[in-house]
């Protein structure tokens, strides 16, 4: 659980700077679009990690 | 002296000689690569995108003097 | 039965507790001002007069960068010396005396700062935490600072006394690592504070008392930065100490190398002070050559920083592998991410790594011109002192609180959320500050919006950056509230018998592997002093030669708002001749009032 929380937190800087990086290749995101993109990505991450059968980053010895 | 709170979760004891910090090398290496990449990026933004500043200016001056 | 620090050293635990609570008090008030100024300068919510902004900013800077950090670290150092030497302080009264002196000093400095909010008391010290001339504060402010610093000096005497007494009984033993770290840091601090002591006692205090008519502003600035750079190591070295001697333990492992840790602290002792001029790259009146020397010394500081990164990560990895972690990166999963102490310190270290990059930009003489005195710099040091140091201190508090109160922490989940929120909030705030700085948005400005000047954002807009800064500030404030909730609620808990024991991490490679010369403190002190003499004699001489010991002429700020008008006019005239727009930015900065002139002079 703890590791998952940190992984989610770690996506924040990535998405904050994603806008700038994409603008170099000519893709201009609005704030709303970046937020939506981040929300989708984090949701996907959570589903993957918390899916019952999966062995996500949240294995029991992760503390 | 030390008593780790999480001692219960410790599965193995790794001594000085068995321990090889490859993960650390991988992480620090990655950080170093990012640092160098950013440094080069700054070089392009700052030095090639702008007029000479004090240091580049004096370097150019010296180069100019050298040519004569 | 538990074997906490409180059980081992009940009397010393009280001193440490008092120091920590003083530090948290400063953090609470300073943090409150942090959000006030964030909302003000981003124009999200303004409820005070913009002239008061500089009083708020002074309180924020002094309370957080000086009071919060230093009270916390004297507590940590006292814990470290007593624990690692396994002996109580030599004289408890003396220990309380230096703590009391620090409290009195803080109160004396705070009175004129806070009096700046009201006109009914004729007193102010809105001189920002850098307090050099031409800004002038009430004498009480300088006297308070002096007492505070003298308090820290006596604290150092206390730690050295403990070590001396211990050494008499253990003549052939190596200095235990935590004590070694305390002693090297203290020597560094003694050398560094000579700069402020001289600046205050010889110039600023007599000047504010009216004993001398003027000062040489460049001289007081240089003396300030003589202290102002190493003071960051006074915050960082205790932070590193926590990373070296505590983090491995929380990761479930051992410190990778005791000798390497000693080398790092010796390097910091030697290299911290002769670098201060790197804060003055834009000061006219200091020759480029001196600045170049400062830059070179600064780059040498990269060495101990990289050694630290390596040793600390390797110690964490050792813990992870002992907990069953495998692979090049897979071991990261085996770390105790649910433990707020570990996670907070690890996130603090991660942000420090990011700060390494913006620091490289600041340190380069050329690139510094791009970001000097912009919001970029504020973004940078909220990653260093505002996160690497502050978040480490908050995280490790969750371990220390039970040790010094004998009570279990109120809530570990809340603590975990708190440290993660700090990381997220600081990501938003600091990132946008860096970006705004690249656009030229200045720091220390109540209303950074000027007629005739627009900042062109590369991506998005300045409005979006401001919103991001405000969002980050709000998240940080929530994080602070959670922190205090935990500290206060822990105080209301009952005594517990099942607390972890006091202690710190063992080392994989112990002190027996470290060359003896590392413990030769006299040698390193001598080298440090020689380097300082090399780096500073000529700059100081040339500053005095050009500008006089007490300044070339009488200029005193802040006198009144009226006296700013002619200066502003002069600046505008001069400015128009060179860069259109900069001048109006300058006059814009003058409007809010007294203090913005500092930016002009800088
Ligand atoms: C709630 C958390 C915080 C918020 C919202 C915050 C916000 C700010 C802002 C917006 C400024 C820049 C104002 C300007 O230049 O006009 C500032 C300056 C500063 N902050 Fe913070 N900050 C926070 C926490 C901290 C912490 C924890 C520290 C240090 C331990 C710190 C140290 C400083 C210092 C030294 C300055 C510079 C003051 C000056 O320029 O004189 N801040 N802060
Ligand atoms: Cu510095």
């Amino acid at each position: 659980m703890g590791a998952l929380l940190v992984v989610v937190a770690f996506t924040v800087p990535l998405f904050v700077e994603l806008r700038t990086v994409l603008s170099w290749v000519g893709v201009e995101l609005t704030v709303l679009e970046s937020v939506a993109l981040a929300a989708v990505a984090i949701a996907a991450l959570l589903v993957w990690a918390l899916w019952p059968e999966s062995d996500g980053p949240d294995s029991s010895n992760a503390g | 002296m030390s008593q780790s709170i999480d001692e219960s979760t410790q599965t193995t004891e790794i001594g000085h000689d068995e321990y090889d910090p490859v993960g650390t090398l991988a992480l620090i290496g990655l950080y170093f690569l990012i640092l160098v990449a950013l440094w080069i990026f700054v070089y392009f933004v700052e030095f090639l995108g702008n007029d000479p500043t004090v240091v580049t200016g004096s370097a150019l001056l010296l180069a100019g003097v050298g040519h004569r | 039965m538990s074997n906490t620090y409180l059980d081992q050293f009940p009397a010393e635990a009280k001193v440490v507790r008092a120091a920590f609570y003083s530090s948290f008090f400063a953090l609470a008030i300073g943090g409150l001002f942090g959000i006030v100024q964030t909302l003000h300068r981003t124009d999200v919510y303004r409820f005070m007069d913009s002239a008061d902004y500089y009083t708020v900013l002074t309180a924020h800077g002094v309370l957080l960068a000086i009071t919060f950090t230093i009270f916390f670290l004297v507590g940590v150092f006292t814990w470290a010396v007593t624990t690692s030497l396994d002996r109580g302080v030599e004289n408890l009264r003396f220990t309380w005396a230096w703590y009391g002196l620090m409290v009195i000093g803080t109160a004396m400095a705070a009175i004129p700062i806070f009096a700046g909010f009201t006109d009914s008391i004729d007193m102010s010290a809105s001189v920002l935490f850098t307090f050099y001339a031409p800004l002038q504060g009430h004498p009480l402010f300088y006297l308070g600072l002096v007492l505070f610093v003298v308090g820290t000096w006596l604290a150092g005497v206390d730690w050295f006394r403990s070590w001396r007494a211990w050494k008499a009984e253990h003549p052939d033993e190596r200095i235990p690592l935590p004590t070694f770290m305390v002693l090297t840091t203290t020597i560094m601090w003694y050398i560094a504070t000579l700069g402020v002591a001289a600046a205050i006692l010889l110039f600023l205090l007599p000047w504010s008392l009216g004993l001398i008519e003027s000062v040489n502003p460049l001289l007081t600035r240089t003396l300030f930065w003589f202290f102002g750079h190493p003071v960051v190591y006074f915050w960082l070295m205790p932070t590193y100490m926590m990373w070296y001697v505590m983090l491995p333990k929380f990761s479930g492992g051992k410190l990778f190398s005791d000798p390497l840790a000693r080398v790092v602290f010796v390097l910091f002792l030697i290299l911290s002070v002769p670098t201060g001029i790197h804060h003055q790259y834009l000061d006219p009146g200091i020759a480029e050559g001196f600045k170049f020397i400062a830059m070179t010394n600064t780059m040498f500081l990269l060495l101990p920083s990289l050694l630290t990164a390596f040793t600390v990560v390797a110690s964490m990895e050792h813990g992870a592998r002992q907990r069953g972690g495998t692979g090049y990166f897979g071991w990261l999963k085996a770390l105790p991410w649910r433990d707020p102490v570990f996670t907070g310190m690890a996130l603090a270290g991660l942000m420090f790594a990011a700060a390494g990059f913006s620091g490289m930009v600041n340190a380069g003489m050329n690139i510094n011109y791009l970001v000097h005195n912009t919001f970029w710099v504020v973004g940078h040091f909220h990653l260093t002192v505002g996160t690497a140091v502050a978040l480490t201190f908050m995280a490790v508090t969750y371990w220390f609180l039970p040790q010094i109160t004998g009570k279990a922490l109120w809530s570990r989940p809340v603590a975990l959320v708190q440290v993660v929120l700090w990381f997220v909030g600081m990501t938003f705030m600091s990132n946008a500050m860096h970006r705004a700085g690249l656009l030229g948005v200045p720091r220390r400005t109540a209303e950074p919006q000027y007629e005739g000047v627009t900042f062109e954002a590369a991506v998005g807009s300045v409005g979006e950056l401001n919103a991001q800064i405000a969002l980050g500030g709000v998240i940080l404030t929530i994080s602070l509230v959670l922190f205090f909730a935990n500290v206060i609620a822990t105080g209301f808990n009952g005594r517990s018998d099942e607390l972890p024991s006091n202690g710190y991490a063992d080392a994989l490679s112990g002190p027996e592997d470290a060359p003896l010369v590392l413990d030769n403190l006299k040698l390193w002190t001598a080298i440090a002093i020689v380097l300082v003499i090399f780096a500073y004699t000529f700059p100081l001489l040339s500053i005095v030669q050009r500008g006089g010991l007490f300044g070339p002429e009488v200029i005193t700020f802040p006198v009144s708002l009226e006296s700013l008008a002619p200066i502003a006019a002069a600046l505008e005239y001069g400015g128009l001749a060179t860069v259109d727009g900069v001048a109006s930015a300058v006059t814009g900065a003058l409007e809010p009032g007294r203090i913005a002139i500092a930016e002009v002079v800088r």
Side-chain angles (χ1 to χ4, degrees):
Chain A
M1 214 46 213
L4 186 59
L5 186 64
V6 171
V7 171
V8 171
F10 191 69
T11 58
V12 175
L14 301 184
F15 280 100
V16 167
E17 275 299 292
L18 182 68
R19 255 181 113 199
T20 319
V21 174
L22 283 183
S23 80
W24 294 337
V25 292
V27 181
E28 307 260 335
L29 290 184
T30 64
V31 173
L32 213 61
E33 283 161 353
S34 334
V35 172
L37 200 64
V40 170
I42 291 175
L45 182 76
L46 289 180
V47 168
W48 170 74
L50 299 177
W51 203 257
E53 261 92 4
S54 92
D55 267 328
D58 182 36
S59 55
S60 53
N61 71 345
Chain B
M1 177 60 82
S2 66
Q3 198 99 117
S4 177
I5 325 169
D6 289 296
E7 208 119 74
S8 51
T9 49
Q10 180 174 332
T11 51
T12 43
E13 173 81 35
I14 301 176
H16 184 252
D17 297 332
E18 304 102 83
Y19 177 47
D20 196 10
V22 283
T24 301
L25 283 179
L27 268 190
I28 302 279
L30 198 67
Y31 174 64
F32 198 71
L33 285 183
I34 295 174
L35 217 58
V36 170
L38 286 170
W39 191 237
I40 293 172
F41 174 66
V42 168
Y43 174 80
F44 277 102
V45 170
E46 175 57 11
F47 289 83
L48 299 187
N50 286 312
D51 290 338
T53 46
V54 181
V55 173
T56 42
S58 21
L60 286 178
L61 199 75
L62 285 177
V65 171
H67 267 292
R68 269 187 225 164
Chain C
M1 257 319 281
S2 31
N3 188 24
T4 59
Y5 185 64
L6 183 67
D7 299 308
Q8 297 170 345
F9 301 103
E12 285 79 2
K14 281 205 187 111
V15 183
V16 176
R17 201 158 68 207
F20 279 7
Y21 287 162
S22 314
S23 130
F24 299 153
F25 187 62
L27 178 62
I29 302 182
L32 181 69
F33 286 149
I35 187 67
V36 167
Q37 72 202 13
T38 303
L39 297 179
H40 189 97
R41 65 164 286 151
T42 55
D43 202 8
V44 171
Y45 180 60
R46 286 180 176 167
F47 64 88
M48 60 177 181
D49 191 39
S50 280
D52 283 335
Y53 183 86
Y54 302 94
T55 309
V56 171
L57 188 55
T58 304
H60 178 78
V62 171
L63 285 175
L64 290 177
I66 309 283
T67 320
F68 158 61
T69 50
I70 297 182
F71 266 112
F72 195 88
L73 74 89
V74 294
V76 168
F77 278 6
T78 303
W79 164 85
V81 169
T82 46
T83 299
S84 67
L85 298 181
D86 199 19
R87 66 184 296 137
V89 297
E90 297 312 301
N91 178 345
L92 198 64
R93 277 225 207 106
F94 182 74
T95 307
W96 279 111
W98 59 251
Y99 167 75
L101 209 55
M102 286 174 67
V103 172
I104 295 171
T106 306
M108 277 168 60
I111 290 169
I113 296 178
F114 281 84
F117 284 118
T118 154
D119 290 335
S120 56
I121 312 173
D122 185 22
M123 214 191 225
S124 80
S126 304
V127 290
L128 305 178
F129 83 112
T130 42
F131 64 80
Y132 31 62
L135 301 181
Q136 193 185 52
H138 190 275
L140 200 58
F141 172 77
Y142 302 110
L143 275 173
L145 284 180
V146 169
L147 287 194
F148 181 81
V149 170
V150 171
T152 63
W153 285 351
L154 295 181
V157 170
D158 205 2
W159 303 320
F160 266 94
R161 272 176 84 185
S162 285
W163 169 60
R164 278 278 180 85
W166 173 88
K167 206 173 138 192
E169 293 167 16
H170 305 78
D172 299 322
E173 277 180 49
R174 299 301 293 261
I175 310 174
L177 183 61
T179 300
F180 180 85
M181 292 170 159
V182 171
L183 299 182
T184 40
T185 308
T186 303
I187 298 172
M188 186 282 293
W189 178 242
Y190 282 146
I191 300 176
T193 41
L194 291 180
V196 255
I200 295 181
L201 294 176
L202 298 181
F203 304 109
L204 297 176
L205 184 59
W207 175 54
S208 99
L209 284 170
L211 298 178
I212 54 176
E213 255 178 26
S214 64
V215 296
N216 177 344
L218 185 57
L219 183 58
T220 63
R221 284 170 63 80
T222 308
L223 288 173
F224 176 85
W225 286 119
F226 178 100
F227 149 88
H229 180 74
V231 73
V232 315
Y233 286 98
F234 200 43
W235 311 322
L236 276 173
M237 285 160 81
T239 305
Y240 285 172
M241 176 202 259
M242 293 295 101
W243 294 351
Y244 277 108
V245 307
M246 300 307 279
L247 194 55
K249 169 181 149 97
F250 302 130
S251 326
K254 290 180 176 172
L255 170 61
F256 183 63
S257 162
D258 170 298
L260 217 50
R262 284 176 206 251
V263 169
V264 166
F265 272 68
V266 164
L267 284 173
F268 279 131
L269 162 60
I270 295 178
L271 293 172
S272 290
V273 187
T275 46
I277 291 179
H278 70 203
H279 291 263
Q280 299 176 281
Y281 286 151
L282 248 66
D283 279 19
I286 298 181
E288 296 293 333
F290 297 142
K291 295 176 182 170
F292 195 84
I293 292 173
M295 173 168 83
T296 313
N297 288 346
T298 305
M299 296 302 174
F300 273 113
L301 274 171
L302 277 176
L303 181 66
S305 308
L306 283 176
L307 284 178
T308 297
F310 178 82
T311 319
V312 170
V313 176
S315 311
M316 281 169 36
E317 186 187 349
H318 180 249
R321 300 221 181 265
Q322 288 201 356
R323 296 161 62 94
T326 50
Y328 278 100
F329 296 105
W331 57 275
L332 286 167
K333 285 188 296 188
L335 288 167
W337 294 108
R338 193 176 284 183
D339 177 5
V341 186
F342 169 81
T343 302
M345 287 167 80
L347 290 178
L350 186 64
M351 288 224 128
F352 197 52
F357 174 66
S358 52
M360 254 168 35
V361 169
N362 299 341
M365 249 169 98
N366 263 20
I367 312 177
N368 182 282
Y369 294 178
L370 182 73
V371 296
H372 198 89
N373 264 329
T374 67
F375 224 22
W376 165 286
V377 175
V378 183
H380 167 74
F381 64 64
H382 279 84
L383 291 181
T384 53
V385 66
T387 301
V389 174
L391 184 56
T392 298
F393 284 2
M394 288 189 275
V396 86
T397 295
Y398 296 131
W399 182 82
F400 270 115
L401 271 186
Q403 294 297 321
I404 56 175
T405 60
K407 299 166 179 175
L409 187 69
W410 173 61
S411 166
R412 281 164 67 88
V414 168
L416 183 62
V417 170
Q418 187 264 318
V419 295
V420 172
L421 276 184
W422 191 273
F423 175 84
V424 172
M426 202 50 97
T427 299
F428 282 123
M429 187 169 96
S430 159
N431 170 268
M433 283 173 165
H434 278 98
R435 292 226 156 270
L438 287 180
L439 314 179
V441 175
R443 67 184 282 204
R444 292 180 162 175
T445 308
E447 300 174 12
Q449 67 258 357
Y450 310 112
E451 273 169 48
V453 178
T454 46
F455 298 109
E456 295 286 341
V459 184
S461 66
V462 171
E464 285 167 10
L465 286 178
N466 276 339
Q468 192 182 322
I469 292 172
L471 171 69
V474 169
I475 298 176
L476 286 169
T477 309
I478 296 172
S479 173
L480 271 186
V481 169
L482 294 181
F483 176 74
F484 292 117
N486 225 335
V487 171
I488 294 170
T490 301
F492 283 112
N493 266 351
R495 284 291 185 95
S496 160
D497 275 343
E498 286 144 33
L499 299 172
S501 301
N502 184 29
Y504 55 92
D506 291 329
L508 269 179
S509 150
E512 61 284 355
D513 298 334
L516 262 179
V517 63
L518 281 176
D519 285 13
N520 187 343
L521 296 178
K522 286 200 185 110
L523 172 68
W524 304 121
T525 309
I527 295 182
I529 291 174
V530 168
L531 284 182
V532 170
I533 292 174
F534 272 144
Y536 269 103
T537 311
F538 289 111
L540 284 176
L541 279 180
S542 86
I543 288 169
V544 171
Q545 220 165 34
R546 283 205 207 179
L549 204 51
F550 294 102
E553 58 192 303
V554 185
I555 27 162
T556 308
F557 300 110
V559 192
S560 63
L561 281 178
E562 291 83 74
S563 68
L564 288 181
I567 300 165
L571 282 168
E572 185 152 35
Y573 177 78
L576 279 174
T578 51
V579 207
D580 206 38
V582 172
S584 48
V586 169
T587 36
L590 289 177
E591 269 159 32
R594 307 161 283 170
I595 313 286
I597 191 73
E599 300 311 308
V600 180
V601 182
R602 288 187 114 224

